[in-house]
Amino acid sequence: MPTFVPVLLPALSAVLMAVAGIRDQTARKRGAPAAGERGLLPLGWAATGVTVLAALAGSVAGGLAQGNLRPVLLLINAVWGMLALVALVRLLRRTLRTAEALALAVPVAVSAFLVMGAVR
């Protein structure tokens, strides 16, 4: 497997965060009103739980398949999954619906599985 595959999810999340930041900065330059309270993201409990559980399930499945089950990698995968969730919520400016959270859970779980297989 190519070495860049496990970092695709965090790289995509960083791109989404950059796009959201550029969009917000451009809107502020054009005189758009403030988007509300700064620093608060409407993550939602369901989307957060689904994302973290998908990351942990992918990590455990990948760890058991590769014989490489380490708690540090479980934590890294959960953080990367949350980074993807935060990037999408920031880009969309709203809480993800259940179907959207489940759609996000698939690449998070696959990424976690691939990370567990790539890191030895």
Side-chain angles (χ1 to χ4, degrees):
M1 171 177 31
T3 57
F4 67 88
V5 171
V7 294
L8 282 177
L9 183 66
L12 178 63
S13 300
V15 168
L16 290 176
M17 291 286 262
V19 167
I22 291 169
R23 181 200 58 208
D24 292 345
Q25 186 177 12
T26 305
R28 267 182 265 139
K29 283 183 181 179
R30 291 184 182 160
E37 293 184 47
R38 301 198 55 77
L40 297 176
L41 286 174
L43 292 178
W45 286 105
T48 304
V50 165
T51 304
V52 170
L53 285 176
L56 293 178
S59 297
V60 169
L64 292 176
Q66 299 294 327
N68 185 25
L69 190 59
R70 288 190 245 167
V72 172
L73 294 176
L74 292 171
L75 178 65
I76 288 171
N77 287 327
V79 168
W80 282 0
M82 286 302 299
L83 177 65
L85 175 65
V86 168
L88 274 177
V89 167
R90 185 165 178 223
L91 183 69
L92 297 175
R93 294 182 179 165
R94 64 176 173 80
T95 305
L96 296 182
R97 294 184 205 106
T98 304
E100 294 166 340
L102 290 173
L104 174 64
V106 173
V108 166
V110 169
S111 173
F113 184 86
L114 292 175
V115 167
M116 296 301 278
V119 178
R120 293 191 185 231

